[in-house]
Amino acid sequence: MSQKSSTSAPSSPLRADAERNRLALVCAAAAVFKRSGTGAPLDEVAREAAVGIATLYRRFPDRDSLIEAVFEAKMRDYAERAGAAAERALTEPWAALEQYVTHIMAEQSADPGFADVVAAPLTGSRVFLTHHRDALASTITLIDRVKAAGVVRPDFEHADLFLLTLANTGLSHGAGKSAQEASRRLCAYMLESFKPTPKPLPPVPRAWAASSVRRSRAQIAR
Amino acid sequence: MSQKSSTSAPSSPLRADAERNRLALVCAAAAVFKRSGTGAPLDEVAREAAVGIATLYRRFPDRDSLIEAVFEAKMRDYAERAGAAAERALTEPWAALEQYVTHIMAEQSADPGFADVVAAPLTGSRVFLTHHRDALASTITLIDRVKAAGVVRPDFEHADLFLLTLANTGLSHGAGKSAQEASRRLCAYMLESFKPTPKPLPPVPRAWAASSVRRSRAQIAR
């Protein structure tokens, strides 16, 4: 037996212990973030995982790395669903928009932590950034297609998805046990209001109309 | 000269000093709550008012008393506007609803602290409770009248005002400098979606359908 295998093999007690701690921290963080959002105190996470705060920081040097461990799979799923919606919009534009918006709002309202992540992308994390960039590119294609098909009002814009996300975050954090029911109703109202209608809307916030969407659109065009 | 006048007259230096501290605290709290909502750390308020935390607690024994001092006038105005909207709904139901919703959403998005207060009434404060009760009674009358006039969809409910308030709180806290612009757009979308239309909505959260509105309606009927 080499010396290496005795310290790094998966069966090593030390390694198994570290992995157990890591898993306990991720599960505890998932529960705490779901309760209080991603800004929750990290010592609450450590307490719930029954480890010291020093152990938490040894496994996860900053808050972002813990957020990423908790929500990575959900973010990947989010990006994949956006991609599927963009595809579906080719043949069934309204159904594609409806299904995408309904799904993302349900996921958000079921988990305030996830609502935070979707509303405020982490700039520090490369994995998250990739998912976010993919989701952004797909939703731009989705909105271009539903607009081209004429199933939404002409002044509907991509930024309205962000508007919806932030509004839903308000329910997710403020409506307590009623969050999911309230979100379903908000979703139905907003989808109704996206349909073609003559009265013009106030413009989207100037800051939203610029920046990331324009950049992402330029990338798609290349 | 009595001994009393030397300690309690408005011109007494001690009294003037206390009053100055109180005003500094209220102004500092207004600024801090506007920046970070009513859950902001109170030591930030004390620091901004350039007084010690002990002085803050001497003037305002708990957070609610400070919130009340900051928002009392705005809450009274809110209740009065609800009353005016209920009156106006007798002759111009849609305009009354539109004006009320537009105003309250604008006030909320301009001040995250006020958004918090409207979304989560303080149960501890008697003055606030009175304003809240008045506003609630008036908005119930308002919604009854717009529904009776047929200018909103038949499944529109009073609880949808609360839905709107919470959604707007999400923008107020999450949209930063774009909050007011974003809120105007959400407001226009939602008003559009309140108009009569055939497709039924999911029900309002069961918990919202009950409780305070029913109680207030019973009080109005008496």
Side-chain angles (χ1 to χ4, degrees), chain A residues 4-199:
Chain A
K4 189 171 171 279
S5 70
S6 74
T7 57
S8 71
S11 56
S12 134
L14 216 123
R15 183 68 185 270
D17 202 49
E19 188 48 43
R20 226 183 352 262
N21 275 347
R22 195 185 179 282
L23 190 66
L25 280 163
V26 171
C27 294
V32 171
F33 291 163
K34 188 166 184 166
R35 212 159 50 223
S36 320
T38 54
L42 293 186
D43 51 358
E44 208 180 315
V45 173
R47 209 166 38 243
E48 187 134 341
V51 306
I53 187 76
T55 303
L56 184 150
Y57 280 114
R58 205 158 44 240
R59 297 287 148 238
F60 299 99
D62 53 30
R63 180 182 295 270
D64 284 2
S65 57
L66 188 55
I67 292 175
E68 183 170 319
V70 171
F71 292 111
E72 204 278 329
K74 241 182 187 169
M75 277 300 295
R76 196 187 325 118
D77 177 69
Y78 164 55
E80 284 171 3
R81 281 178 184 270
E87 274 305 298
R88 191 180 180 187
L90 280 172
T91 50
E92 300 166 286
W94 178 258
L97 178 69
E98 190 175 37
Q99 186 186 30
Y100 174 74
V101 165
T102 303
H103 177 80
I104 190 77
M105 289 182 74
E107 286 287 314
Q108 272 197 310
S109 66
D111 188 339
F114 184 61
D116 288 342
V117 169
V118 171
L122 293 168
T123 47
S125 155
R126 213 172 307 165
V127 183
F128 261 42
L129 266 187
T130 305
H131 293 326
H132 255 292
R133 211 179 304 123
D134 290 351
L136 183 59
S138 293
T139 54
I140 289 172
T141 305
L142 168 66
I143 300 308
D144 283 351
R145 287 176 180 168
V146 298
K147 284 187 72 130
V151 295
V152 290
R153 45 191 301 160
D155 50 1
F156 177 82
E157 294 196 27
H158 182 271
D160 289 320
L161 292 183
F162 188 50
L163 185 80
L164 204 56
T165 295
L166 286 182
N168 202 36
T169 303
L171 301 184
S172 178
H173 282 280
K177 287 181 181 166
S178 297
Q180 291 178 268
E181 286 176 277
S183 175
R184 277 197 290 275
R185 196 160 162 104
L186 178 68
C187 179
Y189 267 132
M190 291 300 280
L191 282 171
E192 201 56 49
S193 70
F194 291 161
K195 290 180 179 169
T197 158
K199 201 180 170 198

